[in-house]
Amino acid sequence: MTGTKPPTGRPLSPHLGIYRLTFTFLMSGFHRVTGAVLYFGMLIPIAWLLAVATGPEWFDFVNSWLGTFLGRLVLFGYSWGLIHHMLGGFRHLIWDTGRGLDLVSIEIFARATIVGSVSLTVAVWLAVYALGGF
Amino acid sequence: MKFRTPLGKVRGLGAAHTGTDVFWIQRLTSIASIPLTFFLVGSSLYLIGADYEVARAYISSVFVAPALVLVVIIFLWHMCIGMEEIIVDYVHSPTVKFASLIFNIMFTVFLGLTGVYAILKISFGT
């Protein structure tokens, strides 16, 4: 392991700070951030499964917590993150084939990702409330 | 020997025949995650308001339990690679970096085993 100390006082190459905020830039960031949030969000389904495995008391306890306003808010965010990350992933899979890398396509993809994820999430939650129960 | 560059050392040795596996697995797990995401969202909708016995019966069904195990394994594998990518991008101090990389693997493996254990316990009874 070669530990190199960063030389101090030397100019660094410019990073995020100097660029104009574009839609594609924002969606790239969203993809990474939703991925990171989903990482910790995975605790929710695992905790729920564990509650079912443990018994009715824990099942009711976890469900009642998820049913609170905060619980619903977290679940709403989790579902949006999941859907957004999936749609963002579609773009990456298309790009992996070498297609859709031109400026017009990436702009369309970026807009479709956010419009798609928001409308799909709303659709899912309309279904949630249509199914009552929650 | 001391003055040889890393490039000079490997020249002529041929390709490493490895290095793209992480890239490949991330794509593989992402493709697998597409139907699994629909399955997870669909299952969640189905289980809204379900009481304990209904949830138990659903999870232990022969079609659902293996798919749920797949959700846990595929999602966590994908997550592990993704978080590793983020760590090596932003964490520069070797101590913090290696601590994070170790924690990442332990966290995902622990969570995965817990999830699979829960599904199996539900499926095969207490």
Side-chain angles (χ1 to χ4, degrees):
Chain A
M1 202 89 7
T2 50
T4 48
K5 269 196 171 172
T8 46
R10 288 199 195 159
L12 298 164
S13 42
H15 195 40
L16 298 176
I18 65 150
Y19 299 107
R20 184 168 54 89
L21 191 67
T22 62
F23 226 75
T24 49
F25 174 16
L26 203 63
M27 286 306 109
S28 168
F30 271 33
H31 192 68
R32 179 160 279 207
V33 170
T34 50
V37 172
L38 288 170
Y39 181 89
F40 296 102
M42 192 67 185
L43 283 165
I44 300 170
I46 300 288
W48 190 83
L49 282 171
L50 208 56
V52 178
T54 311
E57 308 82 38
W58 281 95
F59 178 76
D60 289 337
F61 173 72
V62 171
N63 268 359
S64 69
W65 192 86
L66 290 175
T68 62
F69 179 74
L70 186 68
R72 286 170 199 225
L73 203 64
V74 168
L75 282 178
F76 183 82
Y78 183 73
S79 61
W80 173 72
L82 190 66
I83 291 166
H84 189 88
H85 197 79
M86 181 180 76
L87 295 182
F90 281 161
R91 295 185 307 159
H92 280 283
L93 290 173
I94 294 167
W95 287 331
D96 285 342
T97 69
R99 279 177 274 257
L101 288 158
D102 56 289
L103 289 176
V104 179
S105 298
I106 61 167
E107 201 64 40
I108 294 170
F109 285 177
R111 276 153 213 266
T113 308
I114 187 71
V115 171
S117 73
V118 170
S119 32
L120 272 176
T121 309
V122 169
V124 165
W125 281 82
L126 284 177
V128 167
Y129 283 101
L131 291 166
F134 199 54
Chain B
M1 282 304 265
K2 219 176 168 182
F3 298 107
R4 294 196 68 187
T5 62
L7 180 64
K9 278 187 209 160
V10 297
R11 224 170 225 160
L13 294 176
H17 298 295
T18 173
T20 54
D21 45 348
V22 168
F23 178 93
W24 162 242
I25 292 167
Q26 197 66 342
R27 267 65 191 171
L28 189 67
T29 51
S30 75
I31 292 168
S33 296
I34 298 167
L36 293 175
T37 301
F38 282 99
F39 167 72
L40 187 65
V41 173
S43 299
S44 308
L45 289 177
Y46 174 74
L47 289 170
I48 286 167
D51 62 24
Y52 183 69
E53 287 310 319
V54 173
R56 238 191 129 84
Y58 178 75
I59 294 166
S60 55
S61 141
V62 282
F63 299 106
V64 174
L68 274 179
V69 170
L70 265 185
V71 168
V72 171
I73 293 173
I74 297 291
F75 277 24
L76 280 156
W77 200 355
H78 190 83
M79 278 163 47
C80 185
I81 296 172
M83 188 50 80
E84 185 164 315
E85 202 86 352
I86 293 178
I87 292 166
V88 297
D89 270 1
Y90 302 128
V91 184
H92 302 305
S93 137
T95 317
V96 182
K97 183 170 80 181
F98 284 104
S100 314
L101 290 173
I102 291 166
F103 176 80
N104 176 41
I105 294 167
M106 287 183 170
F107 179 77
T108 46
V109 169
F110 174 76
L111 220 55
L113 286 178
T114 308
V116 171
Y117 166 77
I119 297 162
L120 294 181
K121 191 166 188 288
I122 295 161
S123 301
F124 299 130
T126 49

